Amino acid sequence: MANVIFYEKPGCAGNARQKALLASAGHRVLACNLLSEPWTADRLRAFFGSRPVAEWFNRAAPRVKAGEIVPEQLDEAGALALMLAEPLLIRRPLLQVEKRFEVGFEPTLIDQWIGLGQAGQTASPPSANNWETCSKPSHAKACAAQEII
């Protein structure tokens, strides 16, 4: 099983569900606070790979929801500058296993990458659930603590 570095917004119920799914598949999860991490543009950029800039953003971030920031209108440098200034804009979670980096929680991609099945067997990941939606969208309290599951 994999050692997963999991950058989250502490206290987010959606991130808690995601970590629980990874742990139930036998992975070791090291949770890190996405909001207080000392990001650089190069380090953050690695998580986005070849995805379009618009897919880098947390669509539930207040400035995105209000239309103040329109991800589709940004270039790479502008997007990174905004995210470094306001990490709440970063789509989460950010995942790292060894030298591979990913953004967002897409069960099919994660299952193919490190597996979500029990005892090393590939399972059909639950696709009906939106694994990136927080069940408590008004929950804004962030805990600086890191935890290991």
Side-chain angles (χ1 to χ4, degrees):
M1 292 300 139
N3 291 317
V4 181
I5 301 173
F6 186 99
Y7 294 95
E8 67 174 339
K9 176 184 171 194
C12 174
N15 286 160
R17 286 190 343 245
Q18 296 159 353
K19 290 185 301 184
L21 183 60
L22 289 166
S24 72
H27 302 297
R28 183 169 184 256
V29 180
L30 172 62
C32 300
N33 187 334
L34 175 82
L35 304 178
S36 64
E37 189 69 23
W39 296 109
T40 65
D42 288 340
R43 186 165 165 247
L44 184 58
R45 177 66 183 88
F47 288 91
F48 305 130
S50 62
R51 292 175 182 268
V53 169
E55 291 183 19
W56 302 1
F57 281 83
N58 170 11
R59 294 297 177 159
R63 293 179 67 199
V64 174
K65 284 177 70 173
E68 185 179 333
I69 294 174
V70 181
E72 292 77 10
Q73 295 177 355
L74 294 167
D75 65 9
E76 184 175 306
L80 288 169
L82 284 169
M83 290 176 177
L84 292 174
E86 191 175 337
L88 189 60
L89 294 170
I90 302 167
R91 181 179 172 194
R92 58 185 189 266
L94 297 179
L95 303 163
Q96 180 182 351
V97 175
E98 297 179 3
K99 294 183 181 184
R100 181 167 170 182
F101 303 85
E102 293 291 342
V103 61
F105 200 87
E106 299 173 16
T108 301
L109 182 143
I110 294 169
D111 189 42
Q112 292 169 353
W113 172 26
I114 58 174
L116 289 177
Q118 299 297 321
Q121 295 183 20
T122 302
S124 296
S127 58
N129 295 330
N130 183 343
W131 285 91
E132 291 188 37
T133 300
C134 183
S135 61
K136 298 180 183 178
S138 63
H139 192 262
K141 186 176 181 181
C143 172
Q146 294 183 358
E147 64 179 306
I148 295 179
I149 296 177

